[in-house]
Structures are given as structure tokens and as C-alpha cells.
């Protein structure tokens, strides 16, 4: 009897396992098949429903398939972008020369050199040492948060990409969190770091790959590209206000008055002076930043300044890293992604696909709406701020939105460069979900508890109106003072 019972139990277990496998197989088919069916439907709608020529339709289909892949597929974003770029070349919509040029332009070399400089900085421990020296002097939670915001914003001046800054500042956050016992304060501090990293990135040209995409598209449209100093003047005031505004929101929304005034005792930094290597690295980085800012005076290409700095910073025995070691830290995946997406945006504009897609949609709006710069600024800002809910990559958002929104509006006497700047600054808002940005995911997945998805959603709902107001104010009244007007 016992043997029969055991046999029956085994058969039931096998049957249950079989049913489970069938359900899992069905779920896998649905998960893989849905993006394919959606892609086929979109491609058919574009080919049969839009009054465009074959080249524009093909470009739009490739572009739409890439968006579907970025939004729904589990494939790597760079793989999708490279496949789309290859498809554009194979279809005769872009030349191989343009593909090669995208990999060898000035901005690509600027980013490569900046990654090497950031690797040397990280190896020297200089950034962590200086940040700890500043933050250890604070006594209250409020002062700590404000000082941390200033330190994080400052790193945008010389460290490329938000993911690179998130990794550079992670040891600083961990050191601070180790000295804080209160779980609510640690949660607020964990929210602060990725939020300020993302919002302050708009302050510099190297702050995010999306900025390089925007500059490339502005130049190809016939506009004047912004150098490091030009972008700094336009973007840093907005980045600083957004960063400190977010800090105050976190302080008042996630902490009680007693917690904000709570006195903390952080470990003091070593009294030892900076080492010779750290002084060498710090002096050279300052010279590189000065070289970027004074480019209109000396006329030396920003990429060349960066490469010279990278070479000097990897000279042994003065440097903490050799060139061979530093090159390994370059985010080559991001470099390839930027090259591929730049080609995609360029092709959309050159084939007329962007104009052909958006012009009917814009024509459906009330006639007075597009004649009013305030309405246009509100429309573009809203789309840019909410786009991260569909497209998780910031560079991909810039690739999608700039060629789709800017050319049709530029045909209505709006400035392409001002529109691109507004779009790319809006795409910096992406704190709603852990998957929306790499810094958010990094600080959410640590050994100790940080924040939960509902904390991110609550913070985003508070940040969204602030960012909308800032974008409107700068695009309509501040940037025109620097010669960048929507009209």
C-alpha cells in the first residue's frame, strides 16, 4: 500500500510538473511573440498607412522596430542599435562612410578620453578623499544632504556618463550610510545620490551620452554646436537648480523635522596630506577642464585636449594606472551605442521620415497651439519628461525624440538647436522605476536596504512638476539671454 501511494505521488508530481512546464512554455511564447507581433503590426501600418516614399517608410520601419526592441525585448540596447544601423546601411538609406564617421567623430574621442581620465581619478582615490573631507565637516542631516548635493554636482564637470559617476560615488555613499543608524535617513540618502547624479548630468557636455547625440544632430541640421563652455553656461544653472530642488524635496517629503535636524557623527578623514600622485592627478584634471572651458580662446579641439590629458594622466610612474589599464574602463558599449543611434537619427532626418510622421499629428492640433512658443515648450517638455516610462535608455530617448519632434517644429520657424536642448534636458528626468536608469538600479541593489519602487514613484510625482516648470522657464526666458531662443 505504501508503495502504491509512493508511486501515485510520483505520478502526480510528474503530472503537476508537466502542467507547470506547459504553462511556462506558453508564457515564454507569449513573452517572445508579443514584441514580434507588435513589430509586424507597426511595420504594416507604416508601409500601408503613411503617405511617404519608400525610403522614408523603410527608415521609419527600422526605427520603429528598434523602439519596440528597446521597450519590450530583453535584448541588449546596444545590440538593437547596431542591428538597426546595419539594416539602414544594407537598405541603402545610409552609407558605410557615415557609419564609420559616426565612430570617429570629435565627440566620440572626447568621450573616450574622458573615460580614461575618470578611471585614473577613481584609481587615485582623489575624488573619494576630497568628498569625504567635505562631508565629514557636516553635523546635521540637512547640512550633509546639501553638501553631498554640491559634491555630486561638481563631479559632473570631469566624469563622463551617469553610470560612471554612480560607480565613482558609490564608495562615498557606503561610507556615509555606514555611519547612519536611522533607516529612514539612509533611505533618503540612497534616493539623493542617483537622483542628483541624473539631474546634474545635464550641466556638462560629457555628463550623458544623450548630449553628444544632441550636439551631433544640431550640427548636421546646420546649427551651431555647443562646446564644453557653451553647454556649461546653458545647462549648469538648470542642473544646479534641479539638483538642489530635488534635495529639498527629499528632505521635506521623506524626513521629519527632527530627522532633518538630527546630529550625526561621521568618521573624520585622515589628517595626512594628499599624496604626490593625487596632487599630480588633481592638477592635470583641473588643467583639462580649463582647456575645455577656454577652447574659444586657444582654438584647440576639445577632444585633443582630452586625449593629451589622458596621455599625461597615464604616464608611469607618476600615474596610478597605465594606459592599458585605463582603456579597459572605457564603456565601449556606450561608444558603439552612440555611434549607431547617431546614424539612426541622421537617417530619419535626411530621408524626411521624421517630418512625414509628425507633421500630420502636429497638424491635428489647434492652429493657435503651435504658434504659441509657450504651448510648444509645454508639449515638448511633457513628452521628454515622460518618455522614460517607455524607453529606459537616456541616449535612446534622445535618438527617438530629437529627430521626431525637432524637424517638424523647425519647419514652423522654431529653432532646431533650442528644441534639441529642451528635449535632451528633459530626458534627464528618469527616477520613476529602478529600470529607468542605471544609477537608480545600482543604488537600489545594495547589501543593506535602500529604497523601494513606491519610494521612487512618490519622489517622481513630486519632481515632475518642478522639472516641468524649470524647463519652461529656461527655454522661454533664460536660454534666450544666451542666444538660444525657441523662435
Amino acid at each position: 500500500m505504501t508503495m502504491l501511494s509512493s508511486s501515485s505521488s510520483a505520478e502526480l508530481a510528474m503530472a503537476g510538473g508537466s502542467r507547470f512546464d506547459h504553462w511556462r512554455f506558453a508564457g515564454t511564447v507569449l513573452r517572445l511573440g508579443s514584441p514580434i507581433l507588435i513589430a509586424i503590426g507597426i511595420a504594416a501600418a507604416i508601409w500601408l498607412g503613411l503617405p511617404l516614399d519608400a525610403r522614408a517608410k523603410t527608415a521609419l520601419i527600422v526605427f520603429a522596430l528598434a523602439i519596440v526592441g528597446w521597450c519590450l525585448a530583453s535584448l541588449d540596447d546596444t545590440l538593437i542599435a547596431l542591428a538597426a544601423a546595419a539594416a539602414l546601411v544594407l537598405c541603402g538609406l545610409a552609407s558605410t562612410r557615415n557609419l564609420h564617421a559616426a565612430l570617429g567623430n570629435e565627440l566620440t574621442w572626447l568621450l573616450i578620453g574622458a573615460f580614461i581620465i575618470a578611471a585614473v581619478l577613481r584609481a587615485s582615490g582623489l575624488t573619494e578623499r576630497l568628498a569625504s573631507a567635505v562631508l565629514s565637516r557636516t553635523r546635521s542631516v540637512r547640512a550633509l544632504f546639501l553638501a553631498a548635493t554640491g559634491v555630486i554636482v561638481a563631479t559632473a564637470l570631469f566624469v563622463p556618463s551617469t553610470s560612471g559617476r554612480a560607480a565613482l560615488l558609490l564608495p562615498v555613499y557606503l561610507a556615509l550610510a555606514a555611519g547612519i543608524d536611522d533607516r529612514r535617513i539612509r533611505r533618503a540618502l540612497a534616493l539623493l545620490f542617483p537622483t542628483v547624479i541624473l539631474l546634474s548630468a545635464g550641466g556638462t557636455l560629457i555628463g550623458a551620452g544623450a548630449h553628444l547625440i544632441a550636439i551631433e544632430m544640431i550640427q548636421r541640421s546646420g546649427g551651431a554646436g555647443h562646446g564644453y563652455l557653451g553647454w556649461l553656461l546653458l545647462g549648469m544653472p538648470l542642473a544646479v537648480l534641479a539638483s538642489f530642488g530635488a534635495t529639498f524635496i527629499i528632505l521635506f517629503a521623506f524626513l521629519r523635522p527632527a530627522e532633518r535636524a538630527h546630529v550625526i557623527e561621521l568618521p573624520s578623514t585622515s589628517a595626512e596630506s594628499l599624496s604626490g600622485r593625487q596632487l599630480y592627478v588633481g592638477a592635470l584634471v583641473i588643467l583639462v577642464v580649463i582647456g575645455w572651458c577656454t577652447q574659444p580662446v586657444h582654438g584647440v579641439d576639445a577632444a585633443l585636449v582630452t586625449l593629451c590629458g589622458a596621455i599625461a594622466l597615464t604616464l608611469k610612474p607618476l600615474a596610478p594606472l597605465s594606459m592599458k589599464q585605463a582603456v579597459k574602463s572605457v564603456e565601449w558599449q556606450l561608444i558603439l551605442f552612440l555611434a549607431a543611434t547617431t546614424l539612426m537619427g541622421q537617417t530619419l532626418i535626411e530621408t524626411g521620415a521624421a517630418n512625414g510622421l509628425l507633421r500630420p499629428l502636429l497638424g491635428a492640433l489647434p492652429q493657435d497651439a503651435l504658434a504659441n512658443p509657450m504651448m510648444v515648450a509645454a508639449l515638448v517638455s511633457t513628452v521628454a519628461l515622460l518618455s522614460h516610462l517607455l524607453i529606459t535608455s537616456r541616449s535612446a530617448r534622445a535618438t527617438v525624440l530629437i529627430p521626431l519632434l525637432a524637424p517638424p517644429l523647425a519647419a514652423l520657424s522654431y529653432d532646431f538647436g533650442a528644441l534639441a536642448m529642451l528635449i535632451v534636458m528633459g530626458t534627464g528626468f528618469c527616477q520613476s522605476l529602478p529600470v529607468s536608469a542605471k544609477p537608480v538600479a545600482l543604488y537600489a541593489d545594495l547589501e543593506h536596504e535602500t529604497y523601494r519602487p513606491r519610494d521612487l514613484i512618490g519622489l517622481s510625482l513630486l519632481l515632475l512638476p518642478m522639472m516641468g516648470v524649470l524647463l519652461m522657464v529656461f527655454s522661454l526666458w533664460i536660454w534666450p539671454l544666451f542666444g538660444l531662443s525657441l523662435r
Side-chain angles (χ1 to χ4, degrees), residues 38-121:
I38 292 173
I40 292 173
I42 292 175
I46 291 173
W47 190 262
L48 300 176
L50 292 181
L52 303 173
D53 60 35
R55 285 174 55 83
K57 287 181 179 179
T58 305
L60 270 180
I61 288 173
V62 173
F63 192 67
L65 295 180
I67 295 175
V68 171
W70 286 329
C71 296
L72 300 178
S74 57
L75 296 174
D76 183 79
D77 288 344
T78 303
L79 176 62
I80 295 170
L82 289 173
L88 292 174
V89 174
L90 291 174
C91 293
L93 303 176
S95 66
T96 53
R97 177 175 296 180
N98 287 341
L99 177 61
H100 300 157
L103 276 170
N105 62 24
E106 171 195 353
L107 299 176
T108 299
W109 284 103
L110 172 64
L111 199 57
I112 291 173
F115 274 122
I116 294 174
I117 292 173
V120 175
L121 265 175

Side-chain angles (χ1 to χ4, degrees), residues 119-403:
V120 175
L121 265 175
R122 190 181 303 116
S124 70
L126 180 61
T127 304
E128 186 177 348
R129 176 81 181 274
L130 295 178
S132 299
V134 172
L135 298 177
S136 63
R137 299 176 183 274
T138 59
R139 288 294 173 262
S140 68
V141 170
R142 182 189 299 107
L144 172 65
F145 277 46
L146 293 175
T149 301
V151 169
I152 296 170
V153 171
T155 60
L157 294 171
F158 47 83
V159 181
S161 87
T162 54
S163 57
R165 292 169 62 212
L168 180 70
L169 291 165
L170 183 59
V172 177
Y173 164 76
L174 292 175
L176 294 175
I180 299 174
D181 296 329
D182 191 288
R183 184 180 62 83
R184 287 171 52 85
I185 297 176
R186 282 205 309 267
R187 179 189 63 175
L189 186 66
L191 286 169
L192 176 79
F193 268 72
T195 298
V196 177
I197 286 170
L198 292 169
L199 295 181
S200 62
T204 62
L205 180 60
I206 63 172
H211 304 166
L212 307 183
I213 293 173
I215 290 295
E216 185 72 18
M217 291 186 183
I218 291 171
Q219 292 175 339
R220 291 187 180 279
S221 71
H226 306 290
Y228 185 89
L229 180 61
W231 192 286
L232 193 71
L233 294 174
L234 293 170
M236 187 54 78
L238 173 56
V240 169
L241 288 175
S243 298
F244 279 95
T247 300
F248 280 107
I249 287 175
I250 292 172
L251 280 171
F252 285 88
F254 290 88
L255 296 177
R256 304 183 184 98
E259 292 168 335
R260 294 194 293 270
H262 179 69
V263 177
I264 54 176
E265 292 292 337
L266 297 175
S268 59
T269 56
S270 173
E272 296 179 5
S273 59
L274 297 176
S275 67
R277 280 185 173 181
Q278 290 175 331
L279 290 172
Y280 176 75
V281 170
L284 281 179
V285 170
I286 291 173
L287 287 176
V288 170
V289 174
I290 292 174
W292 287 339
C293 294
T294 56
Q295 183 184 2
V297 177
H298 56 69
V300 179
D301 186 84
L304 183 57
V305 171
T306 310
L307 290 177
C308 290
I311 293 170
L313 283 166
T314 53
L315 289 175
K316 288 290 189 177
L318 299 174
L321 283 182
S322 66
M323 177 63 76
K324 182 178 181 180
Q325 294 170 318
V327 166
K328 292 179 181 179
S329 69
V330 176
E331 294 186 21
W332 295 107
Q333 188 175 9
L334 176 61
I335 302 294
L336 294 173
F337 183 85
L338 293 178
T341 51
T342 298
L343 183 69
M344 291 170 61
Q346 174 189 345
T347 305
L348 273 181
I349 295 173
E350 291 178 351
T351 59
N355 271 323
L357 177 63
L358 261 291
R359 189 167 290 173
L361 298 178
L362 295 176
L365 296 174
Q367 191 67 27
D368 296 337
L370 296 179
N372 187 342
M374 185 173 292
M375 294 296 293
V376 170
L379 172 66
V380 174
S381 299
T382 301
V383 173
L385 289 171
L386 297 179
S387 60
H388 73 281
L389 297 175
L390 290 177
I391 307 172
T392 57
S393 167
R394 184 175 187 173
S395 298
R397 291 196 292 275
T399 303
V400 171
L401 296 181
I402 293 175

